[in-house]
Amino acid sequence: MSRLKPYLKVLIGLGLAILALVVTGAAVRLGVVPLIALTFDPSEEHLSLIRRGLMLVAFVVGFWAYVRLAEGRPATELGLAPKTIAFWIAAGALMIGLPLVLLYLTGAYTLVAVAGPDGMLGVGLTILAAAMFEEIVFRGVLFAIVWRHFGVWPALLIPSLIFSALHIFNDNWGGWTPLIAGLAIGIFWSLVYVRTGNVWAVGLNHAAWNYTIFATGLPLTGQEDWRALAPLQTDLTGPDWLTGGLAGPEDSWPVVAMVIIVTGLFLADCWRRGELKRRPTEDDG
């Protein structure tokens, strides 16, 4: 039984965290939002923006409740560190933005139109809420628990593998290239969490990555639903191995190579600084 104890702790911790997120999300979706609609009668467009913003709040509150009640400690991961958060927002946009610029310059992507900003806020809130939810689950909870009980290498690999594998259910997404890309970027986000200890920093880095892809009018992890709302309208004019095709730039070989290289360099730097050698406790997450 003692051998199973760490595995049970991981499963119980993850279950409690998801329960907290589901409860707070349901409270907002089924309670707060309908109450606002009934009381103030906003337009459907405004109500949609309110719903997306409040879901973000719900996920943050759910994580705070999990840490306070299940782990019995302050939720230091939710601390506001403006300079750190701003740095990682910029890093997320630049990390994917720079190879995209190069692909435009090579003619792999062609800018065909500049659209208005109508869909930018709504899609931005959705991307932010989704990125924060994913980073809370995979980094704030699963990564931290696995690291605590099994060490840093399983913690880097297991959540990132699960994160990458779950995306294969997206439209136009599949094969080894995006799976490797998802694993590499998942490890990168785990390292951001190691470096900062801050859910906002890693969540907003993730959101900045996704939003940059959306803003350029390219498919985001195989999904094309938002391309018509993007401020830039882009055609894929190069071969699929270069552009990523309908899977988006995360299936582009140059982008995947860049992610692997950056993640490898970041991993080496974290190791050199000794950030991967400590073992989290129940008190420090």
Side-chain angles (χ1 to χ4, degrees), residues 114-120 229-232:
V114 177
D118 293 346
M120 293 178 65
L229 300 174
L232 303 179

Side-chain angles (χ1 to χ4, degrees), residues 18-28:
I18 292 175
L19 177 62
L21 295 172
V22 168
V23 168
T24 52
V28 165

Side-chain angles (χ1 to χ4, degrees), residues 20-118:
L21 295 172
V22 168
V23 168
T24 52
V28 165
R29 186 87 181 193
L30 303 177
V32 177
V33 172
L35 181 61
I36 290 174
L38 184 64
T39 304
F40 299 102
D41 192 27
S43 67
E44 184 56 40
E45 179 182 356
H46 289 156
L47 184 62
S48 178
L49 292 175
I50 291 169
R51 183 187 303 113
R52 297 174 194 187
L54 287 178
M55 288 304 295
L56 170 62
V57 174
F59 296 146
V60 172
V61 171
F63 178 64
W64 175 87
Y66 159 75
V67 172
R68 290 293 297 164
L69 299 177
E71 296 194 356
R73 61 179 179 82
T76 55
E77 300 93 328
L78 291 172
L80 295 179
K83 290 183 179 179
T84 298
I85 293 169
F87 172 84
W88 287 107
I89 291 173
L94 286 172
M95 187 174 171
I96 186 63
L98 290 177
L100 294 187
V101 169
L102 293 177
L103 289 170
Y104 276 108
L105 292 176
T106 63
Y109 299 143
T110 301
L111 182 65
V112 295
V114 177
D118 293 346

Side-chain angles (χ1 to χ4, degrees), residues 148-199:
R148 185 179 300 134
H149 295 293
F150 297 102
V152 67
W153 300 114
L156 286 172
L157 287 174
I158 293 171
S160 300
L161 278 170
I162 297 172
F163 170 82
S164 181
L166 287 176
H167 284 77
I168 65 175
F169 298 103
N170 291 5
D171 294 338
N172 306 307
W173 189 260
W176 285 106
T177 308
L179 187 65
I180 292 170
L183 174 61
I185 195 62
I187 293 174
F188 177 83
W189 284 324
S190 292
L191 294 172
V192 174
Y193 191 63
V194 169
R195 173 65 52 89
T196 65
N198 190 286
V199 168

Side-chain angles (χ1 to χ4, degrees), residues 180-237:
I180 292 170
L183 174 61
I185 195 62
I187 293 174
F188 177 83
W189 284 324
S190 292
L191 294 172
V192 174
Y193 191 63
V194 169
R195 173 65 52 89
T196 65
N198 190 286
V199 168
W200 291 109
V202 65
L204 288 169
N205 181 275
H206 185 162
W209 168 284
N210 285 353
Y211 195 80
T212 302
I213 295 174
F214 154 71
T216 54
L218 297 168
L220 177 60
T221 57
Q223 302 178 79
E224 295 196 87
D225 297 347
W226 294 334
R227 289 186 70 185
L229 300 174
L232 303 179
Q233 298 294 304
T234 298
D235 279 348
L236 310 177
T237 47

